Amino acid sequence: MSHHIRRFAPSDRDAMLAFANTLPEHDLLFLGRDLKHPRVVDAWQSAIENGWIDSLVAEDSGRFVGTAALVRDPLGWSAHVGEIRLLVSPDKRGAGVGRDLLEAIYSVATERGVEKLTAQMTPDQIGSVMLFESLGFRAEALLKDHVRDRNGRSHDLAILAHDIARISAQHRAFGLEE
C-alpha cells in the first residue's frame, strides 16, 4: 500500500483543486456541485469546520489520489443518515485506494452514530457500484435523467444505501460482533 489516509486539513485547498482537475467530469456528476470550482472547495472547508462534513484524503508521494467525505445534516429530519462521497484518481482505480477510503469513512460514520449511509453514483460506474456493494450497500433508488453534464446530456443517478443499525443488530443476534 503506497497511499496514506488522513483527515483533510485547511492547508489542503490547492491540493484538492489539483486533484479535482485530474478527474473526468463524469465522476463529479453525482456530487451535486462542481469540485473544480475554488468556491465549492471553500464551502466544503467551512462545512468541515462546522461539523457537517468529515473528509479524508488518500495521498501518494504528496499527491492526492482519492478522497472520501461523510456528509450529514445534524439539524435535519434525517440527522441519523450520512451520505458518502468517494472519489479516486483514474490511475489509482483497482489499487485498493477506494476500498481503504470507504472503510475509513465507514469507521468515522459509526463513531458519529450514523445509522444509515447512502451513496450516489451513475449506474455505469461499475467499479464504484461493485465496491459499495461488497461492503453491504444495496441499490435503493434509480432517478432517471437526474443529472446533466456540461454538454446537456442527461444521466441516471443510482442511490445505494447501507443500514448500519439493522446490520449491526443482525450481527449481534447471530453473535458475529468482533
Side-chain angles (χ1 to χ4, degrees):
M1 180 177 98
S2 59
H3 56 272
H4 164 69
I5 294 177
R6 63 171 176 81
R7 284 202 172 261
F8 180 73
S11 56
D12 291 331
R13 178 183 186 263
D14 293 343
M16 182 61 79
L17 285 165
F19 167 67
N21 279 296
T22 69
L23 297 170
E25 179 184 282
H26 195 81
D27 290 3
L28 302 173
L29 290 176
F30 67 90
L31 289 179
R33 289 183 176 168
D34 187 350
L35 194 57
K36 293 181 181 182
H37 281 291
R39 280 200 323 263
V40 171
V41 175
D42 292 342
W44 183 349
Q45 186 64 53
S46 64
I48 291 170
E49 288 160 16
N50 293 329
W52 299 66
I53 295 180
D54 285 281
S55 190
L56 303 174
V57 294
E59 271 181 315
D60 185 353
S61 314
R63 169 179 85 98
F64 284 5
V65 293
T67 176
L70 173 69
V71 183
R72 297 174 304 120
D73 178 358
L75 304 176
W77 298 113
S78 297
H80 62 294
V81 177
E83 182 192 341
I84 290 183
R85 296 177 184 168
L86 179 70
L87 293 165
V88 176
S89 290
D91 63 331
K92 286 289 178 183
R93 293 185 189 160
V97 176
R99 173 168 295 278
D100 290 347
L101 277 166
L102 189 51
E103 288 174 352
I105 205 75
Y106 188 96
S107 297
V108 171
T110 54
E111 283 163 28
R112 291 277 189 201
V114 172
E115 293 173 32
K116 179 178 181 175
L117 290 169
T118 63
Q120 300 183 18
M121 59 206 72
T122 55
D124 57 6
Q125 291 173 305
I126 306 296
S128 202
V129 171
M130 286 174 62
L131 171 61
F132 277 89
E133 287 184 340
S134 74
L135 287 177
F137 282 76
R138 293 293 170 258
E140 210 164 81
L142 181 68
L143 306 177
K144 300 296 249 180
D145 299 327
H146 196 72
V147 290
R148 259 199 200 130
D149 61 27
R150 281 199 181 88
N151 298 320
R153 279 192 305 265
S154 295
H155 301 270
D156 296 347
L157 191 66
I159 299 176
L160 280 67
H162 180 69
D163 192 333
I164 296 178
R166 196 183 73 232
I167 304 277
S168 60
Q170 286 171 346
H171 284 184
R172 278 193 304 279
F174 292 107
L176 298 173
E177 291 286 88
E178 286 106 64

